Amino acid sequence: MKRDRDRGGKAAEAVSGGGSATGKGKMWAEADAGMDELLAVLGYKVKSSDMADVAEKLEQLEVAMGTTAMEDGVSSLSTDTTVHYNPSDLSGWVGSMLSELSVIPDQIGVSGGNNLINDDDLRAIPGGAILGNDSESAKKRIKFDSRVEFLENGCSPRAVVLVDSQEAGVRLVHTLMACAEAVQQENMKLADALVKHVGILAESQVGAMRKVAACFAEALVRRIYKIRPQLEENSSYADVLEMHFYETAPYLKFAHFTANQAILEAFAGAKRVHVIDFSLKQGMQWPALMQALALRPGGPPAFRLTGIGPPQPDNTDALQQVGWKLAQLAETIGVEFEFRGFVANSLADLDAKILDIKPGDYETVAVNSVFELHRLLARPGAVEKVLDSIRAMGPKIVTVVEQEADHNGVVFMDRFNEALHYYSTMFDSLEGSGLTQPDGGGGQDLFMTEVYLGRQICNVVACDGAERVERHETLAKWRRRMGSAGFEPAHLGSNAFKQASMLLALFAGGDGYRVEENDGCLMLGWHTRPLIATSAWRLTEVE
């Protein structure tokens, strides 16, 4: 961690020296044209326009193989261990297999046979992405191959033939979506049968796809059986998980660096500065800022830090422990330092008056929030109350970092679909970080990071009401909310864009990670998908 902080300090020092960006990232529009987005981020290339045809042929092939095995005794096609590796042309390969087995497509899927496949399973996918929703058949029966059948009475699955890992990957995604659809329709018997099938299909997968499926299957099981995950039962454990997330992926480093850059620019020339951190946790953000202030021409300002955090289960004063460590660092680098900690169950319970904020001509104030404001959306009116409190603090700058996702919709299926896309991309980025290799040295960090993300998935999928606190919203929605509350954008300059890109180069070579400037805000994403966004705000000037 020390190495990362040193890098953060050097990066912050480099930022204060100036520089210019060579351009803005336009990565999100460069996805492979026509490719299905969710399957693409998981490593499968299937054109959206071919999905219906490929899915139909795969169904036909499974029936054909099952029929051939029963009639001709071709046991090599019917064993559970049979795997045909991914062909370059999936559609053509399936067609050739059907031809070799002398299958007439029109003879497969005819109603009336107990072992035949119909289109019900594909129509269970919401939105008509694969087949149109022009029938009620999905409500009655969903069959997945010639030997696996799920009925509304929740019967257990029998043996399954997994012909190809890519086929199983497509079906895995479809089954997850069908299970979520059953949950939304409150058909829990069908949902239970489908979630069991998810486990069977996931066995054929490796890497990110298997892990994502396991997390969403657990979340669905919790929702089906009403086993709610404990809500922040141990905040210190949550902090430990976040520290591992910090070590594993560049997202928190990016969040801290970009927010610090905006704060540094706002503090230029100030003699006394005051940062109010809405989520101090382990204080990982502030050593880099303190080092940058220590190197400021003319000497560092007096630095005052107010840290806010939740109560600890053992009643220990964790905030003061963090403050003590930061005070030791400040003494070492020659920065005058003052710390105060405030315990609050929610930011909405905080009163700006108790923070002892000095007038603007005495100290320059910055308010910092990293992955915190979205949690307020679980309580009606809480965000508005907190934004009013921020205005009362009279800050020169407000930095906000949030997940670039939309997990706060009213419709469960919309939340589930968005979360499946978002966390598939997040897990895929972890696979690309190099820590999955035996010599990567980050096995524990990676595992704990997966637990960290898995807890978020469970909260999004399994919880409702006040218990569902992972209510991520997009930058566009936060812009509207901040504007309505009396704030205007404070653009993060080209210097921040350039330095953030350089920071990513220090992390696994920066391969796959992309920075984009979006109307003065900075986004970090994996390949074509933005995942977090940093924005800066100031009080709207009264004319």
Side-chain angles (χ1 to χ4, degrees):
M1 183 180 296
K2 184 177 184 300
R3 180 175 68 254
D4 293 326
R5 290 176 176 173
D6 290 344
R7 288 176 181 170
K10 293 177 182 178
E13 177 183 358
V15 169
S16 63
S20 60
T22 58
K24 298 182 180 180
K26 300 296 183 183
M27 310 305 172
W28 318 132
E30 295 179 0
D32 291 339
M35 293 298 177
D36 181 87
E37 178 187 355
L38 180 56
L39 296 176
V41 299
L42 295 175
Y44 301 107
K45 293 187 176 181
V46 180
K47 289 186 176 180
S48 300
S49 58
D50 294 339
M51 287 290 286
D53 181 60
V54 170
E56 181 180 0
K57 288 181 178 179
L58 288 172
E59 300 288 355
Q60 295 170 0
L61 179 59
E62 288 191 39
V63 175
M65 294 179 72
T67 304
T68 303
M70 289 184 287
E71 295 180 355
D72 301 332
V74 186
S75 59
S76 62
L77 293 178
S78 61
T79 61
D80 289 344
T81 57
T82 299
V83 176
H84 295 268
Y85 292 97
N86 293 345
S88 59
D89 180 6
L90 182 61
S91 180
W93 176 80
V94 175
S96 65
M97 289 291 290
L98 288 171
S99 177
E100 290 179 13
L101 292 173
S102 300
V103 176
I104 301 174
D106 291 340
Q107 293 178 350
I108 298 178
V110 180
S111 61
N114 292 332
N115 291 325
L116 298 180
I117 305 299
N118 55 37
D119 292 333
D120 293 351
D121 56 332
L122 299 179
R123 289 197 176 93
I125 309 303
I130 307 302
L131 292 176
N133 296 325
D134 56 352
S135 75
E136 297 294 324
S137 57
K139 299 180 180 178
K140 300 299 181 182
R141 170 180 284 183
I142 296 181
K143 297 182 181 180
F144 289 90
D145 63 33
S146 59
R147 277 145 297 138
V148 177
E149 179 179 284
F150 294 103
L151 301 177
E152 288 194 338
N153 62 10
C155 63
S156 300
R158 294 187 289 274
V160 62
V161 175
L162 299 181
V163 178
D164 177 87
S165 62
Q166 182 158 337
E167 171 206 346
V170 174
R171 298 180 68 114
L172 178 57
V173 173
H174 289 183
T175 308
L176 279 168
M177 298 296 290
C179 181
E181 177 72 24
V183 168
Q184 178 166 292
Q185 296 174 357
E186 299 184 357
N187 188 343
M188 296 308 175
K189 289 184 179 180
L190 178 59
D192 176 63
L194 287 168
V195 81
K196 291 175 182 176
H197 193 52
V198 168
I200 297 172
L201 292 173
E203 289 298 318
S204 68
Q205 303 301 303
V206 295
M209 190 170 192
R210 184 170 184 166
K211 294 171 183 177
V212 169
C215 288
F216 276 90
E218 178 189 349
L220 285 167
V221 166
R222 287 182 176 276
R223 190 174 184 94
I224 292 168
Y225 291 101
K226 295 180 170 53
I227 308 172
R228 297 289 188 259
Q230 294 296 318
L231 181 61
E232 296 298 333
E233 70 282 3
N234 190 335
S235 59
S236 60
Y237 176 59
D239 290 350
V240 169
L241 293 178
E242 188 169 280
M243 288 181 66
H244 286 287
F245 180 61
Y246 179 92
E247 296 291 345
T248 305
Y251 300 107
L252 268 177
K253 295 181 179 70
F254 172 88
H256 293 168
F257 177 82
T258 51
N260 283 350
Q261 167 63 24
I263 293 171
L264 274 173
E265 293 181 359
F267 284 172
K271 299 296 184 182
R272 294 181 175 274
V273 298
H274 183 185
V275 173
I276 301 168
D277 187 2
F278 277 176
S279 183
L280 182 67
K281 299 190 177 181
Q282 299 300 314
M284 294 181 292
Q285 180 172 347
W286 306 118
L289 179 66
M290 293 166 66
Q291 291 171 9
L293 291 173
L295 296 171
R296 199 175 72 171
F303 180 46
R304 184 179 172 205
L305 177 63
T306 297
I308 301 167
Q312 298 298 308
D314 55 0
N315 294 321
T316 57
D317 197 344
L319 294 178
Q320 287 301 325
Q321 293 175 10
V322 173
W324 175 249
K325 293 178 182 178
L326 292 174
Q328 290 178 310
L329 172 63
E331 183 178 3
T332 301
I333 61 179
V335 173
E336 181 182 340
F337 181 74
E338 178 185 345
F339 176 82
R340 293 184 68 189
F342 289 91
V343 174
N345 287 306
S346 170
L347 293 176
D349 300 329
L350 199 65
D351 187 347
K353 296 178 181 178
I354 68 173
L355 300 182
D356 189 27
I357 298 173
K358 303 294 191 294
D361 56 355
Y362 180 82
E363 67 178 10
T364 302
V365 176
V367 175
N368 181 74
S369 174
V370 177
F371 299 155
E372 285 298 320
L373 293 185
H374 68 264
R375 304 173 69 85
L376 297 169
L377 298 173
R379 293 174 55 179
V383 171
E384 292 75 14
K385 181 180 179 182
V386 169
L387 294 180
D388 287 343
S389 295
I390 294 175
R391 284 186 57 83
M393 298 173 193
K396 186 171 183 180
I397 194 76
V398 180
T399 50
V400 176
V401 183
E402 286 290 337
Q403 291 87 345
E404 181 59 14
D406 192 3
H407 300 153
N408 195 32
V410 176
V411 180
F412 172 74
M413 273 304 303
D414 293 342
R415 295 201 308 270
F416 186 90
N417 184 46
E418 171 68 15
L420 187 58
H421 281 75
Y422 181 86
Y423 287 104
S424 295
T425 309
M426 184 67 78
F427 272 79
D428 189 52
S429 74
L430 298 180
E431 290 290 312
S433 67
L435 293 176
T436 56
Q437 302 302 321
D439 59 350
Q444 182 182 10
D445 284 331
L446 180 62
F447 174 77
M448 298 298 278
T449 293
E450 291 165 357
V451 174
Y452 171 79
L453 296 174
R455 283 161 59 101
Q456 292 183 12
I457 292 170
C458 274
N459 190 267
V460 171
V461 174
C463 296
D464 276 318
E467 292 181 341
R468 181 162 59 85
V469 295
E470 299 296 346
R471 295 174 175 259
H472 312 137
E473 291 194 343
T474 61
L475 176 60
K477 292 184 178 181
W478 286 111
R479 278 197 180 111
R480 291 194 294 270
R481 185 175 286 113
M482 296 295 288
S484 299
F487 295 90
E488 61 183 17
H491 286 196
L492 296 167
S494 59
N495 196 33
F497 176 87
K498 180 179 180 180
Q499 297 297 332
S501 300
M502 292 174 60
L503 178 67
L504 287 181
L506 301 175
F507 193 91
D511 291 340
Y513 294 103
R514 299 289 183 268
V515 180
E516 179 189 1
E517 186 176 1
N518 186 313
D519 291 335
C521 305
L522 291 182
M523 291 181 171
L524 172 61
W526 177 249
H527 291 298
T528 61
R529 168 95 191 213
L531 294 172
I532 67 170
T534 301
S535 58
W537 305 87
R538 56 176 171 254
L539 297 176
T540 302
E541 295 182 3
V542 179
E543 297 181 358

